[in-house]
């Protein structure tokens, strides 16, 4: 009888522990809750994409040949997959779905910024400890 | 009972770990959950020291009402000094994005005067960009480098005076005449190559900021010595933007000039600004968060601009004593200081010094700045003044310098 009670208590505590772990992991995942991408070209917001609702891959170009970027939106995120700029830095930044720093093509003045639709400020981003980050240094 | 005791112990331990926050996080967890992602710095040649793109200007305007609904912070807050009538728009922010000094800059200001502050700041940034650029023909630096001497505007004089002062303070490690060596490596032209030892030796004979004479607003350069204030110009500019904000009646704002962050006051809810520091070993993550008010947070890292040849990584922080990329044992140095110009100069200088000399330098100047440094083996060094407002999030070894 005592053995059975012990076993039940052990199981209950184990379930509690797993529950706590699960809740913690869910809370931490909220740090990546940014789901909007804003595409800004030549100083103008040209498109806002809800990345959480993207089901199919879409590709489109921004700008004219000589100053052109090809942007891809997919369930994996958004990025510049082709550009005729000299340094190709925007292309090398890859496909991303979140981040406090934007994808930037300096020569063409194109930037893609990530934000959380629940946030009213475009500079606050989720972090690993679930508090807002106001900026990132070290780029 | 033994089993129960053991299980209880395990549960308590588990709960304690869960509530301990970032300090015990594993690197993978940080990488998975951090909101920091790779930026331009993940690839070679992400920036040019040449602030030549004065004309490259685009402004994005955003208006938002910042509800600041982040979780409760236990941080003490610094006081917002205004005792005037409360600003009805104190919690509303406006933001601008512009391209200058060969980087993208984002500016955010709060309150009724935010828009005029941003417009004035943008104009000022462009003016300073032209003034300090080594390639802007209407700028002071271009003219002085061409003529070997000349009169400087007050802003350029002030910046050069600071650069020369930091050169002395760091025993020549911060050197505003390093440009010919940077050019030889291709960091200013993006034509990357490895200069020969003899070429570097020849170029280094013209690298010595102590030979620059600044008398009043007149500067004289020895033959073949060139000035480049790119290593300090963004810090100076960010400090100036703070002045522009204040003069426009703004008491709360934050800017990032290509990753050089500077803050004005606190957030409108009087919480400190939270600034993440990019992890040099995992550019999709950050390794620390620091909370600041009225301070600049500026980082130099070996990962920010570099090229690779035959599998060797050559970064852009050149040691003026050798002409080669600094191999000091540090991979990232972040300086936190109310003085943006100082923070910009010292982030580079302490990186070149290495952990021991950098720690000693801080000990001798601890009233001027704080620092967070990462060594090649991943250890994080934090100066003691930051102990209660810096959180290392990558789970690595931390050492407090006091």
């Amino acid at each position: 009888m005592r053995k059975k009670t012990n076993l039940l208590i052990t199981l209950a505590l184990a379930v509690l522990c797993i529950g706590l772990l699960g809740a913690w992991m869910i809370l931490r995942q909220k740090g990546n809750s940014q789901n909007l991408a804003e595409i800004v070209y030549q100083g103008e917001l040209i498109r806002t994409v809800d990345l959480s609702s993207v089901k199919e891959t879409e590709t489109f170009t921004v700008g004219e040949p000589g100053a052109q970027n090809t942007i891809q939106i997919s369930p994996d995120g958004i990025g510049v997959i082709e550009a005729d700029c000299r340094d190709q830095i925007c292309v090398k930044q890859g496909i991303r779905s979140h981040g406090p720093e934007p994808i930037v093509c300096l020569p063409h003045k194109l930037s893609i910024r990530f934000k959380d639709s629940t946030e009213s400020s475009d500079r606050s981003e989720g972090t690993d400890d679930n508090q807002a980050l106001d900026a990132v240094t070290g780029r | 009972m033994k089993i129960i005791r053991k299980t209880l112990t395990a549960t308590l331990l588990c709960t304690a770990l869960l509530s301990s926050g970032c300090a015990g996080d594993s690197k993978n967890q940080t990488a998975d959950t951090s909101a920091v992602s790779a930026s331009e710095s993940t690839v070679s040649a992400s920036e040019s020291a040449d602030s030549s793109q004065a004309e490259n200007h685009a402004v994005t305007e955003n208006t938002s009402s910042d509800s600041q609904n982040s979780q409760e912070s236990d941080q003490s807050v610094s006081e917002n000094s205004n005792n005037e009538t409360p600003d009805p728009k104190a919690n509303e922010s406006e933001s601008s994005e512009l391209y200058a000094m060969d980087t993208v800059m984002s500016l955010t200001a709060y309150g009724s005067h935010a828009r005029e502050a941003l417009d004035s700041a943008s104009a000022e940034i462009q003016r300073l960009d032209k003034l300090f650029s080594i390639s802007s023909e209407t700028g002071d630096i271009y003219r002085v480098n061409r003529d070997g001497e000349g009169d400087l505007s007050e802003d350029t004089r002030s910046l050069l005076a600071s650069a020369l002062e930091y050169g002395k303070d760091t025993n020549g490690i911060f050197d505003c005449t390093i440009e010919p060596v940077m050019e030889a490596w291709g960091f200013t032209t993006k034509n990357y190559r490895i200069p020969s030892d003899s070429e570097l030796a020849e170029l280094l004979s013209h690298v010595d900021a102590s030979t620059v004479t600044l008398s009043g607003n007149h500067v004289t350069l020895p033959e073949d010595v060139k000035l480049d204030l790119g290593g300090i110009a963004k810090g100076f500019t960010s400090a100036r933007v703070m002045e522009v904000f204040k003069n426009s009646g703004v008491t709360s704002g934050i800017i990032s000039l290509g990753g050089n962050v500077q803050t004005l006051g606190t957030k409108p809810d009087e919480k400190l600004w939270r600034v993440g520091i990019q992890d040099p070993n995992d550019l999709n993550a950050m390794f620390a968060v620091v909370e600041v008010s009225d301070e600049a947070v500026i980082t130099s890292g070996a990962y920010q601009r570099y090229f690779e040849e035959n599998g060797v990584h050559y970064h852009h922080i050149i040691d003026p004593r050798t002409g080669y990329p600094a191999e000091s044992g540090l991979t990232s140095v972040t300086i936190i200081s109310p003085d943006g110009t100082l923070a910009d100069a010292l982030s580079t200088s302490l990186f070149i010094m290495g952990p021991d000399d950098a720690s000693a330098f801080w000990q001798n100047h601890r009233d001027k700045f704080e620092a967070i440094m990462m060594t090649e083996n991943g250890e994080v060094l934090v100066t003691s003044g930051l102990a209660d407002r810096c959180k290392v999030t990558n789970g690595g070894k931390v050492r407090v310098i006091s």
Side-chain angles (χ1 to χ4, degrees):
Chain A
M1 188 63 190
R2 178 182 273 187
K3 256 189 178 175
K4 204 170 180 182
T5 310
N6 285 351
L7 189 66
L8 279 172
I9 292 173
T10 307
L11 275 173
L13 289 175
V15 166
L16 177 68
C17 199
I18 289 167
L20 279 170
L21 188 67
W24 175 72
M25 287 178 79
I26 288 166
L27 279 172
R28 292 177 68 79
Q29 284 300 326
K30 283 181 73 178
N32 282 348
S33 62
Q34 295 169 311
N35 57 340
L36 297 183
E38 292 182 340
I39 304 168
V40 179
Y41 179 63
Q42 305 274 342
E44 284 184 25
L45 177 64
I46 57 170
R47 187 168 169 185
T48 301
V49 182
D50 182 353
L51 295 172
S52 63
S53 65
V54 175
K55 299 280 188 286
E56 291 177 355
T57 299
E58 177 193 352
T59 301
F60 60 97
T61 59
V62 174
E64 301 299 323
Q68 194 168 67
N69 301 73
T70 303
I71 295 174
Q72 185 182 85
I73 301 167
S74 75
D76 292 333
I78 184 169
V80 178
I81 57 168
E82 206 177 311
D84 51 16
C85 58
R86 174 172 68 146
D87 52 26
Q88 298 288 298
I89 288 169
C90 52
V91 178
K92 291 170 185 169
Q93 286 181 271
I95 300 287
R96 288 167 37 193
S97 59
H98 64 277
E101 291 301 328
I103 294 170
V104 176
C105 179
L106 277 178
H108 298 168
K109 298 172 192 166
L110 171 84
S111 68
I112 302 171
R113 296 184 175 278
F114 300 97
K115 63 184 283 190
D116 184 339
S117 59
T118 62
E119 289 173 6
S120 53
S121 166
D122 64 340
R123 61 172 180 73
S124 294
E125 317 289 352
T127 69
D128 64 324
D129 59 352
N130 209 29
Q131 288 192 37
L133 256 196
D134 299 296
V136 173
T137 179
R139 295 174 54 221
Chain B
M1 281 313 285
K2 203 173 177 183
I3 296 174
I4 294 174
R5 221 169 22 241
K6 272 187 181 173
T7 315
L8 273 172
T9 309
T11 308
L12 287 172
L13 191 64
C14 181
T15 310
L17 278 173
L18 294 180
S19 60
S20 67
C22 293
D25 291 345
S26 76
K27 191 157 192 131
N28 285 340
Q29 284 164 338
T30 305
D32 288 341
T33 57
S34 168
V36 181
S37 285
S39 63
E40 306 175 58
S41 55
T42 60
V43 292
S44 60
S46 65
E47 268 186 39
S48 166
D50 175 8
S51 40
S52 62
Q53 297 194 354
E55 298 77 18
N56 286 348
H57 174 232
V59 177
T60 306
E61 298 179 359
N62 297 305
T63 306
S64 63
S65 173
D66 191 345
S67 59
Q68 296 296 334
N69 55 357
S70 61
Q71 291 183 343
E72 287 290 317
S73 166
D74 59 358
Q75 287 295 324
S76 60
V77 293
S78 62
E79 291 181 2
N80 247 338
S81 56
N82 262 5
N83 293 322
E84 298 164 4
T85 314
D87 181 351
K89 294 185 175 177
N91 291 327
E92 291 181 19
S93 70
E94 296 222 20
S95 298
S96 289
E97 179 182 290
L98 70 150
Y99 293 82
M101 298 185 174
D102 209 8
T103 193
V104 60
M105 302 180 170
S106 61
L107 319 178
T108 299
Y110 285 83
S112 301
H113 304 290
R115 176 45 51 195
E116 66 185 82
L118 293 179
D119 290 346
S120 301
S122 297
E124 181 66 358
I125 288 170
Q126 290 167 76
R127 189 184 72 81
L128 293 177
D129 188 5
K130 281 185 183 163
L131 215 50
F132 301 152
S133 166
I134 60 170
S135 58
S136 171
E137 294 184 12
T138 57
D140 284 351
I141 300 302
Y142 178 90
R143 181 170 42 80
V144 167
N145 282 342
R146 182 193 62 200
D147 300 342
E149 64 168 337
D151 291 337
L152 303 175
S153 67
E154 174 51 26
D155 287 320
T156 313
R157 187 209 62 76
S158 171
L159 183 58
L160 177 58
S162 295
L164 297 177
E165 184 188 329
Y166 296 133
K168 281 182 195 157
D169 289 348
T170 60
N171 288 325
I173 291 206
F174 183 83
D175 198 316
C176 60
T177 63
I178 193 71
E179 199 275 335
V181 179
M182 294 288 284
E183 188 178 330
W185 283 95
F187 287 115
T188 54
T189 59
K190 294 179 183 167
N191 297 318
Y192 301 105
R193 67 187 187 88
I194 304 167
S196 66
D197 287 348
S198 58
E199 183 183 0
L200 285 175
E202 158 61 16
L203 290 171
L204 282 175
S205 67
H206 307 297
V207 174
D208 185 355
S210 68
T211 63
V212 175
T213 307
L214 179 63
S215 176
N217 70 337
H218 190 82
V219 64
T220 308
L221 306 177
E223 198 177 343
D224 292 330
V225 170
K226 306 284 180 199
L227 289 178
D228 181 2
L229 301 176
I232 196 173
K234 278 192 285 196
F236 181 93
T237 303
S238 63
R240 174 59 56 80
V241 170
M242 295 298 102
E243 286 174 30
V244 171
F245 277 13
K246 280 187 217 167
N247 292 340
S248 301
V250 168
T251 57
S252 176
I254 186 166
I255 63 172
S256 172
L257 310 188
N260 282 18
V261 176
Q262 186 137 10
T263 61
L264 176 64
T266 60
K267 293 195 258 191
D269 61 3
E270 297 194 338
K271 285 180 180 161
L272 299 177
W273 302 100
R274 291 169 50 80
V275 181
I277 303 173
Q278 192 157 38
D279 189 340
N281 300 315
D282 181 355
L283 298 179
N284 288 308
M286 60 186 173
F287 74 90
V289 177
V290 62
E291 298 187 305
V292 297
S293 66
D294 282 320
E295 286 170 302
V297 186
I298 295 179
T299 300
S300 287
Y303 57 91
Q304 290 171 325
R305 265 193 291 147
Y306 65 89
F307 68 95
E308 285 183 346
E309 196 164 307
N310 298 324
V312 181
H313 179 109
Y314 298 95
H315 65 78
H316 76 294
I317 304 175
I318 302 293
D319 187 335
R321 297 167 297 190
T322 65
Y324 280 90
E327 291 182 19
S328 67
L330 291 171
T331 54
S332 169
V333 172
T334 299
I335 303 295
I336 295 100
S337 170
D339 185 341
T341 315
L342 174 143
D344 205 0
L346 292 189
S347 64
T348 311
S349 306
L350 267 64
F351 184 100
I352 295 170
M353 288 178 195
D356 295 339
D357 287 353
S359 300
F361 189 88
W362 173 78
Q363 282 158 343
N364 291 328
H365 301 81
R366 60 171 70 208
D367 57 323
K368 300 266 194 336
F369 71 97
E370 302 290 342
I372 303 169
M373 302 177 274
M374 182 180 270
T375 66
E376 278 174 352
N377 60 15
E379 185 180 25
V380 179
L381 312 179
V382 180
T383 56
S384 59
L386 289 176
D388 60 346
R389 55 193 180 103
C390 170
K391 197 177 273 186
V392 175
T393 57
N394 72 343
K397 189 179 169 192
V398 181
R399 179 154 56 95
V400 177
I401 303 166
S402 54

